[in-house]
Amino acid sequence: MEPLSIVEDEVVLEGLDGITLPSLWLRLEDRKPAFPLKLDDLSKDFIWKSLIVNTDLRFFQLPKKRGDVVLFDRFKNIEGEPDFDNTQKFSDKDIYPIFITPENKDGILGSCAFLQKRTDVTQDVRSESLAPLLNLQEALEKYGRTLVVVASQVLRFRTLIGIESDPDLKLNDDSFCLLERVGRARWQGELQKDLHGGTFKVDARKLHYLRKALVKHGLITMQPYVTRLYTGQQQNSILLLLKRFHVDRGLELCCIWKEVINY
C-alpha cells in the first residue's frame, strides 16, 4: 500500500467511532508491515493535508475528550503452543464502548456512543474546494482529542468485507458491529469469550449466531486460543480475525479445535 492509502485504511478500520489524531499516529507507528514514512512534524502535516482532501472522510467534534487507543500484543508471550497466552496482562481499558446504531434512513451501520451528540465540523476544517482552513497545529489547538476523523459508510463497509466479497451483501446491525469490532482489532483479533462476556454483553448463543453469519460469508476467520489464568488453569476460547489479518498458526491442537469451532 502507498503511504496515503495506509493512512486512509487506519481511519477506516477504527470504525464509525472515528479516530483522533493522536491515536492515528499510534496506529501508524504500530502498523504491520511498517508504515514507510518516519512520523515527524513534516510527515504529520503531509498526512493532515491528505485527510483534508479525502472526500470519503469527514471531521467531527466529540462532546468530550477521548483517551488514546491502547495497543498490546497478545502473541508476545506465546511459548511454543498455538495461540497460548501465559500472562493475560492485556488492558481492560476500552475507549470504544459498544453502542449499536439502529436502522436509519441514511443506511449508517456501526457502533458509536456519540453519534447523536458529536458535531460535524468538516466545513470548519476544509473549504468547498477542499483547501485546508486549519493547519495541523491549529486543529490540535482548537479541538485537541475531541476531533475525530470518520470514513464514509461505503468505504468502511467495503474495507471490512474485502474486495472479494459481494458489495451488495446485507448484514444486520448487530453482525456489522461485530465485524467492525473484529476489524478494529487488526492483527490481534478479538476473543469470543471477551465479546459475549463483556464488550457486547450478550449470551454466548447470540454471539455464536452473529459470528456464524460472518463466517458463512467468509468475512472473518476463527482459530483456537488458550489462556492460562492466574490460578494456573487453562481457558479455551476462539480468536476471531478479519480475513485479511488471519495468520495460520496451525499445529496439532489447532486441527482438533477446528472440528469443534466448525460444529
Side-chain angles (χ1 to χ4, degrees):
M1 272 188 176
E2 295 295 322
L4 297 186
S5 295
I6 292 175
V7 171
E8 180 186 80
D9 191 49
E10 290 299 328
V11 174
V12 172
L13 288 171
E14 215 68 9
L16 183 59
D17 271 305
I19 188 169
T20 64
L21 293 175
S23 286
L24 177 58
W25 309 144
L26 291 173
R27 288 293 194 187
L28 291 174
E29 288 174 347
D30 192 57
R31 179 81 179 191
K32 295 179 180 60
F35 187 58
L37 300 180
K38 178 183 178 181
L39 283 176
D40 53 24
D41 291 343
L42 288 177
S43 63
K44 288 179 180 179
D45 186 59
F46 174 64
I47 290 170
W48 168 251
K49 291 176 180 177
S50 77
L51 297 174
I52 291 292
V53 300
N54 190 331
T55 56
D56 281 319
L57 307 179
R58 296 193 70 82
F59 301 82
F60 293 85
Q61 182 179 17
L62 301 176
K64 63 179 182 179
K65 295 179 181 179
R66 178 191 291 166
D68 295 342
V69 64
V70 178
L71 304 176
F72 66 91
D73 184 356
R74 72 168 74 254
F75 304 110
K76 184 177 180 179
N77 296 294
I78 292 175
E79 300 178 349
E81 298 187 50
D83 304 337
F84 189 96
D85 166 31
N86 192 41
T87 62
Q88 201 187 22
K89 292 182 179 179
F90 307 139
S91 173
D92 292 327
K93 182 180 180 181
D94 187 359
I95 61 174
Y96 300 113
I98 292 296
F99 194 96
I100 298 174
T101 303
E103 292 185 14
N104 58 83
K105 61 181 179 62
D106 298 319
I108 301 298
L109 295 171
S111 170
C112 182
F114 295 117
L115 184 64
Q116 303 300 327
K117 296 180 180 179
R118 66 189 186 186
T119 304
D120 190 334
V121 295
T122 306
Q123 70 281 358
D124 299 322
V125 172
R126 69 181 176 212
S127 68
E128 292 184 2
S129 62
L130 304 183
L133 298 178
L134 297 173
N135 61 36
L136 176 58
Q137 186 60 36
E138 290 170 337
L140 289 173
E141 290 176 357
K142 183 174 182 178
Y143 298 109
R145 284 174 167 79
T146 66
L147 181 69
V148 293
V149 190
V150 184
S152 68
Q153 174 64 38
V154 172
L155 188 56
R156 288 186 295 109
F157 186 81
R158 196 74 190 112
T159 298
L160 288 175
I161 68 171
I163 59 175
E164 297 177 355
S165 299
D166 180 3
D168 295 323
L169 176 67
K170 302 298 182 183
L171 294 174
N172 63 35
D173 302 338
D174 291 353
S175 291
F176 185 83
C177 283
L178 176 58
L179 180 65
E180 180 183 68
R181 186 77 185 195
V182 172
R184 183 184 293 136
R186 293 150 170 94
W187 297 98
Q188 299 301 317
E190 287 280 359
L191 290 179
Q192 182 165 301
K193 70 178 180 64
D194 293 340
L195 293 174
H196 75 72
T199 306
F200 276 80
K201 295 180 174 61
V202 297
D203 61 46
R205 288 175 298 178
K206 181 174 181 179
L207 194 74
H208 173 79
Y209 169 77
L210 299 177
R211 183 202 75 190
K212 189 174 182 180
L214 300 180
V215 173
K216 175 184 177 182
H217 294 294
L219 305 181
I220 64 172
T221 65
M222 304 181 295
Q223 59 182 283
Y225 191 89
V226 184
T227 303
R228 178 177 293 161
L229 305 177
Y230 293 122
T231 60
Q233 295 179 314
Q234 294 182 15
Q235 186 177 61
N236 297 322
S237 187
I238 300 171
L239 184 66
L240 308 179
L241 294 131
L242 210 61
K243 190 175 181 180
R244 61 180 274 197
F245 293 120
H246 178 81
V247 176
D248 190 1
R249 303 171 187 274
L251 293 174
E252 184 176 353
L253 179 60
C254 293
C255 295
I256 297 173
W257 266 74
K258 282 179 181 177
E259 296 182 7
V260 176
I261 62 181
N262 287 331
Y263 174 70

